[in-house]
Amino acid sequence: MMQRRMWILSLFAALAALAFFQAATDAQPATVKQIAPGVWFREGEIDTLGHCNNAIIEMNDYLVIVDANFPSGARLTLQAAKKVSNKPVKYVFDTHHHGDHAYGNPVWTEAGATTLAYKGVAEELKRYEPKRWQAEAKVRKDVADLKLAAPEPPKQTFDKSPFILKDDTRELRFYFFGWAHTRGDGFVYLPKEKVLCSGDAAVNGPFNYTADANVANWPKVIAAAQKLEVAHVLPGHGGPGGKEVLDGQARFMTELHSAVQAAVRQGKKLDDIVKKQGDKLVSTSIQLSAGVKNWVGDGLPDQVRDTYDEITQHKPHGDIPH
Ligand SMILES: [Zn+2]
Ligand SMILES: [Zn+2]
């Protein structure tokens, strides 16, 4: 009996070690990985530099980059692109308006590329800027060094989804499926290679940011993306994965919304479910299932507050002044 228990305990210890090992090797910041012929994924250094991930996609005569990144991330990605292909960068697609995805636009314009986005990205920039740019320039040298008063909007926008680029090499479809992380969330889909670049509408890890979001609508946006045939998901943050990244992201948002809704129905106030230290939220009593633990991190109390405000004020969090 004792021996059996010891064996079970050591099996659990081994499994736990394995799980830790897998999680630890998932993230490979600053590396470039080939996903399919002519398709590369560069994982951004989020912890140290705040960078997003980038995709580098080779067409017949040119390259398409997914996300402009911050200015310093744009330069690193441009270097990475030069290493994998000698073709020029023609388009850079901003998946959304956040600084870590769009503030590098001027770097790409100077390099001769055309920045491209769904029209909702340009509209979000009008809504939130130049306030955020000016705040970022105070803490980020790469933003300050551009000596601009405001972010550079995408040079080309489209409003009919999907916008398509196609040549003999491959087809790229740029989709808008609705308001999830921001009002402008764009996806890039490669039907032949079954690759989906999801921006921050689907991340692989505890990287969700809900301030500009529509939490209730988020799973519906993912559901539209899940209708595509997908083998590879290249998220805005975290390592590359498969369809499980979409499934987990949707499940996280669904669980977050329903757990907060249940607390609201029980008559709980915001102070009952999140704990403050100064003006920072440090913990929450809201618990989600083990199935979404990959998405649960230090940001959970903020995500709970945003969802609470969304539910009690009956409008998407992004529509509440913030
Ligand atoms: Zn974002
Ligand atoms: Zn991001």
Side-chain angles (χ1 to χ4, degrees), residues 96 98 100-101 181-182 200 209 237:
H96 60 293
H98 287 152
D100 55 331
H101 299 259
H181 178 62
T182 71
D200 289 358
Y209 176 70
H237 300 282

Side-chain angles (χ1 to χ4, degrees), residues 86-166:
N86 53 19
K87 295 174 189 175
V89 177
K90 186 170 179 187
Y91 292 105
V92 177
F93 181 67
D94 295 338
T95 59
H96 60 293
H97 70 284
H98 287 152
D100 55 331
H101 299 259
Y103 282 5
N105 280 352
V107 174
W108 295 105
T109 301
E110 199 179 297
T114 299
T115 49
L116 168 74
Y118 173 66
K119 68 167 185 193
V121 175
E123 291 163 4
E124 288 284 65
L125 283 171
K126 281 190 192 138
R127 205 168 271 129
Y128 295 111
E129 298 291 0
K131 207 174 120 195
R132 292 180 180 182
W133 174 274
Q134 286 164 5
E136 208 67 75
K138 289 190 181 116
V139 291
R140 286 195 67 103
K141 191 175 182 300
D142 61 339
V143 173
D145 282 351
L146 290 178
K147 299 196 171 16
L148 296 170
E152 183 184 285
K155 296 282 182 187
Q156 186 179 333
T157 58
F158 62 90
D159 60 3
K160 204 175 145 276
S161 169
F163 172 81
I164 294 173
L165 288 176
K166 194 178 175 174

Side-chain angles (χ1 to χ4, degrees), residues 18 47 60 64 70 92 97 109-110 112 127 131 155 157 166 190 204 214 236 239 246 265 271 275 288 291 312 316:
L18 187 69
D47 290 339
N60 258 0
V64 176
F70 270 124
V92 177
H97 70 284
T109 301
E110 199 179 297
R127 205 168 271 129
K131 207 174 120 195
K155 296 282 182 187
T157 58
K166 194 178 175 174
L190 288 65
N204 190 6
N214 185 338
L246 298 179
R265 284 197 185 123
D271 287 346
K275 221 198 224 141
L288 307 181
T312 53

Side-chain angles (χ1 to χ4, degrees), residues 201-221:
V203 292
N204 190 6
F207 307 113
N208 277 298
Y209 176 70
T210 46
D212 303 339
N214 185 338
V215 178
N217 197 55
W218 202 318
K220 292 175 197 158
V221 170

